[in-house]
Amino acid sequence: MKHAFVAAALLVATPGALLAASPAVAQSPQLEQACISVARNFLLMPTIKTGVVQSFPELDPPGARLTYSTREDAKPTDFNNEISCEFEKATAPLGLRRFCISDTCYGPNEQEEANRRRYLEIKALMDRQK
């Protein structure tokens, strides 16, 4: 009887524990760091605070996305800016393919000339880091 009570208590407690949010497991630290570097270079910031960072090395094209804040004393509610990055491949050299900050994308085929130029600038900086 005592064991049945313990088992019932575990069954009741387990579903709540399963619903608790847990951070995504880092799948590719290299993709994640490259995307953070894109954000720092684009924003002209030596450091940024990151919130949630996710990577997708298994997708075509591989990529990463993250939330960030430029505030030094960032609180969890401050991570409302987002960047996503796409790369040619998931291993070095990655080859920046395109990136988007908020709703604006930067890549070699963007219609807006200024956005193409910003992509080329960031790509040149990333290529120098090899």
Side-chain angles (χ1 to χ4, degrees):
M1 178 84 164
K2 181 177 177 182
H3 296 292
F5 179 74
V6 171
L10 286 174
L11 286 174
V12 170
T14 303
L18 293 175
L19 295 176
S22 62
V25 175
Q27 293 183 16
S28 175
Q30 188 175 18
L31 288 174
E32 294 170 6
Q33 288 305 310
C35 197
I36 291 169
S37 183
V38 168
R40 281 196 331 260
N41 284 318
F42 182 84
L43 298 169
L44 300 173
M45 302 286 296
T47 61
I48 60 171
K49 302 287 183 178
T50 58
V52 176
V53 182
Q54 300 171 333
S55 60
F56 306 95
E58 70 278 10
L59 296 182
D60 184 24
R65 66 182 180 157
L66 57 102
T67 58
Y68 67 92
S69 175
T70 56
R71 296 180 55 157
E72 283 191 35
D73 60 344
K75 296 173 179 39
T77 56
D78 293 331
F79 297 101
N80 51 13
N81 300 308
E82 186 177 321
I83 181 171
S84 62
C85 304
E86 295 177 3
F87 300 96
E88 295 294 329
K89 55 185 186 168
T91 57
L94 300 174
L96 182 63
R97 190 170 176 176
R98 156 180 211 235
F99 66 95
C100 300
I101 294 187
S102 298
D103 294 330
T104 305
C105 292
Y106 303 86
N109 300 321
E110 299 300 325
Q111 291 183 353
E112 183 68 39
E113 184 180 334
N115 292 356
R116 278 193 314 273
R117 170 66 188 218
R118 294 302 301 271
Y119 161 78
L120 292 171
E121 292 171 352
I122 301 303
K123 183 171 178 3
L125 292 170
M126 299 297 291
D127 288 346
R128 291 178 196 166
Q129 293 178 357
K130 292 180 184 176

